[in-house]
Amino acid sequence: MTDLPTDLTRATAADLADALASKTISSVEVTQAHLDRIAAVDGQVHSYLHVDTDGALAQARAVDERRQAGESLGALAGVPIAVKDVMTTKGVPTTCGSRILEGWIPPYDATVVTKLREAGLPILGKTNMDEFAMGSSTEHSAYGPSHNPWDLDRIPGGSGGGSSSVLASFQAPLATGTDTGGSIRQPAAVTATVGTKPTYGGVSRYGLVALASSLDQAGPCGRTVLDTALLHAVMGGHDPMDSTSIDAPVPPVVEAARAADVRGMRIGVVKELGGEGYQPGVRARFDESVALLEELGAEVVEVSCPNFGYALAAYYLILPSEASSNLAKFDAMRYGLRVLPEGVDAPSAEQVMAATRDAGFGDEVKRRIILGTYALSSGYYDAYYGSAQKVRALIAQDFDAAFGRVDVLVSPTAPTTAFKLGDKLEDPMAMYLNDIATIPANLAGVPGMSIPSGLADEDGLPAGIQILAPATKDERLYSVGAALEKALVDRWGGPILDRAPELGVAAAAKGA
Ligand code: GLN
């Protein structure tokens, strides 16, 4: 067994799980170490919207007692986790990054959360995100952005920037995410962490605040490929509460991560995802990773997916259309915020609704509701939504053709490294372009993963490589991801995240 570092927050989830299983450490110790770390650094990073100190320690005590009593426990029992605030947590605030849900305490757990609880993972708290998962930077969070631990003036990605920054600042060994167009993978890429968007339907959507139901997929976030696989195995599987959930066992992701073997695999480099518009340092790290995969025994070919160029346009019609419908439920009547219009004596329900939605939704959410409502309106439906659905079918066909030739596809995850907070806030198109490489997978429902590929020469910031596999073949992501991760650890003389600057713990404590 690997020796644990003295600072438990630096350990991998896999090593913590081993030490917990052998009773070398307790879950209360591990959980407390993370709560201390949160108290010391989250003032600077702002990864959490809510820290559940008492709840986490109570769950840790409970799992320690079960272990002492000799119960057989799951692989990650006792390892604490951070949960993206898009997932409902019974008795624990869930805002989805929005004012409209401020103060709402869900009466039930999302299925993913139920699975985490049953598997004995203490929930440290809820992580920050762009409002209703719309964004690539967390700057659309109604509660202020999270910061990238590599450079606090930069974005940690989005919408799941709370979860990525939690991992990169060692405030939790594991986190959950959701990925509608890249919100697990892009945050992973810009923080040198790992994230997987499973096959659509591979993880239950029950209890996730819906953004675009045909694209949304929950998935695991970690610092290593194996940790991410262990969490994937806990989160995944059939759920009768979600009619789109796949009725089949979770693919053998942990076995694949442990085997870390690409020998004989055919890997396709997507011609359309790279080149112009991609930062030179991101491209250089990508090319180097592809060369490493070849050295490891994979066969690499170039593959063309001609319709990927239309993915972004199709996505920004389909997503707003579905979002405008999903967000109609925030009507000031059922739950959440209720604002009465000023100067109206006996306001109608419609006036209360309008005042509430005006006050409760941020600009990006309003922009997308307007866009979606327009695209779905009669007379425009066929021209916009209908055309976008046709493009979606063509993108799925591109994937089918590609996977007829290769086992997995690879590309850079995001076109650039982390940009400065504020840089793209006034320019929605520039913000949307972050997801140019991640969106095709959501449109087709195929699984994707991002792992760190190294640091870009021009700015010293992390870049990511994306791996894509055919639907239900999620284990291939882990075979390739784990093999490449090993080679890259050799190449960089250790995990890339080890090169991140230390956060000023003392300064934070003083400022707090
Ligand atoms: N950044 C993309 C968007 O703004 C993706 C969001 C997501 O995956 N939730 O829609």
Side-chain angles (χ1 to χ4, degrees):
M1 203 174 78
T2 336
D3 279 343
L4 283 183
T6 26
D7 178 357
L8 292 178
T9 66
R10 294 272 160 172
T12 65
D15 288 345
L16 287 173
D18 284 349
L20 284 159
S22 67
K23 299 188 193 153
T24 316
I25 50 167
S26 70
S27 179
V28 168
E29 280 173 79
V30 180
T31 303
Q32 188 61 55
H34 285 93
L35 291 167
D36 292 346
R37 175 76 181 168
I38 295 169
V41 303
D42 203 42
Q44 300 163 74
V45 189
H46 191 228
S47 300
Y48 284 97
L49 292 178
H50 179 81
V51 178
D52 188 17
T53 306
D54 295 343
L57 287 171
Q59 292 165 72
R61 266 193 302 275
V63 73
D64 284 341
E65 279 164 20
R66 283 166 64 192
R67 200 182 307 275
Q68 285 306 334
E71 261 185 63
S72 88
L73 301 169
L76 287 174
V79 179
I81 187 166
V83 169
K84 188 178 180 183
D85 206 28
V86 67
M87 295 172 173
T88 58
T89 38
K90 188 176 178 177
V92 179
T94 300
T95 67
C96 218
S98 183
R99 288 275 172 224
I100 214 158
L101 280 175
E102 194 167 10
W104 182 55
I105 312 279
Y108 73 113
D109 277 331
T111 296
V112 166
V113 172
T114 304
K115 283 175 183 272
L116 297 176
R117 291 196 201 283
E118 284 173 0
L121 285 85
I123 295 172
L124 293 164
K126 306 296 291 289
T127 60
N128 195 19
M129 55 184 286
D130 289 290
E131 186 174 7
F132 291 110
M134 297 178 186
S136 300
S137 69
T138 68
E139 292 168 291
H140 294 312
S141 167
Y143 304 97
S146 300
H147 300 260
N148 192 321
W150 285 83
D151 174 350
L152 295 172
D153 293 333
R154 290 177 189 267
I155 60 108
S159 64
S163 286
S164 66
S165 60
V166 138
L167 294 167
S169 59
F170 301 90
Q171 298 188 70
L174 295 169
T176 65
T178 53
D179 191 310
T180 304
S183 286
I184 288 176
R185 289 164 288 161
Q186 180 259 5
V190 298
T191 54
T193 58
V194 178
T196 302
K197 179 199 97 68
T199 299
Y200 182 76
V203 175
S204 169
R205 287 187 297 109
Y206 179 74
L208 268 49
V209 181
L211 169 54
S213 310
S214 76
L215 302 162
D216 294 347
Q217 191 49 221
C221 310
R223 283 191 292 260
T224 69
V225 173
L226 177 59
D227 284 4
T228 309
L230 289 164
L231 180 57
H232 190 146
V234 171
M235 293 173 72
H238 181 58
D239 178 14
M241 300 297 278
D242 172 3
S243 61
T244 59
S245 145
I246 297 170
D247 193 359
V250 184
V253 291
V254 175
E255 293 81 346
R258 290 198 198 278
D261 190 2
V262 292
R263 277 171 304 174
M265 270 181 112
R266 283 175 68 92
I267 296 182
V269 174
V270 185
K271 186 172 141 217
E272 287 75 11
L273 303 178
E276 212 189 315
Y278 288 73
Q279 192 179 317
V282 171
R283 268 158 43 192
R285 294 291 86 87
F286 174 72
D287 292 344
E288 205 171 82
S289 298
V290 171
L292 285 172
L293 286 168
E294 237 171 344
E295 278 173 37
L296 290 167
E299 187 189 337
V300 177
V301 295
E302 190 182 77
V303 171
S304 174
C305 295
N307 296 296
F308 279 18
Y310 308 112
L312 197 70
Y315 173 87
Y316 276 102
L317 287 166
I318 294 168
L319 177 136
S321 299
E322 292 187 18
S324 69
S325 162
N326 275 328
L327 268 54
K329 63 177 167 281
F330 300 104
D331 59 2
M333 303 295 145
R334 287 172 257 217
Y335 45 71
L337 187 72
R338 177 177 295 173
V339 175
L340 300 179
E342 265 177 59
V344 185
D345 268 351
S348 65
E350 202 169 1
Q351 286 171 317
V352 174
M353 216 179 285
T356 302
R357 288 166 70 88
D358 183 30
F361 287 145
D363 287 350
E364 183 62 21
V365 175
K366 287 177 187 160
R367 181 180 294 128
R368 295 200 195 188
I369 291 174
I370 292 168
L371 217 71
T373 313
Y374 184 80
L376 290 179
S377 53
S378 78
Y380 294 111
Y381 184 93
D382 284 339
Y384 292 113
Y385 188 73
S387 307
Q389 290 291 18
K390 285 179 194 153
V391 170
R392 185 174 193 172
L394 292 174
I395 287 166
Q397 285 172 20
D398 278 359
F399 272 116
D400 283 347
F403 289 131
R405 294 182 53 206
V406 295
D407 299 304
V408 295
L409 293 168
V410 290
S411 78
T413 309
T416 68
T417 57
F419 50 89
K420 285 237 161 75
L421 287 157
D423 259 11
K424 301 194 178 177
L425 204 48
E426 303 307 322
D427 184 352
M429 256 320 276
M431 192 73 93
Y432 297 169
L433 280 166
N434 274 285
D435 298 308
I436 193 131
T438 45
I439 278 173
N442 300 80
L443 289 170
V446 304
M449 169 191 278
S450 179
I451 75 160
S453 58
L455 304 179
D457 294 324
E458 54 274 19
D459 54 21
L461 292 167
I465 175 171
Q466 168 177 243
I467 309 154
L468 302 166
T472 74
K473 305 290 184 214
D474 303 42
E475 70 278 9
R476 291 186 195 170
L477 307 175
Y478 291 92
S479 308
V480 177
L484 181 57
E485 176 182 61
K486 263 191 199 162
L488 284 164
V489 164
D490 286 347
R491 143 93 172 79
W492 291 85
I496 290 150
L497 190 56
D498 281 0
R499 293 167 174 258
E502 261 305 324
L503 291 170
V505 172
K510 228 191 300 158

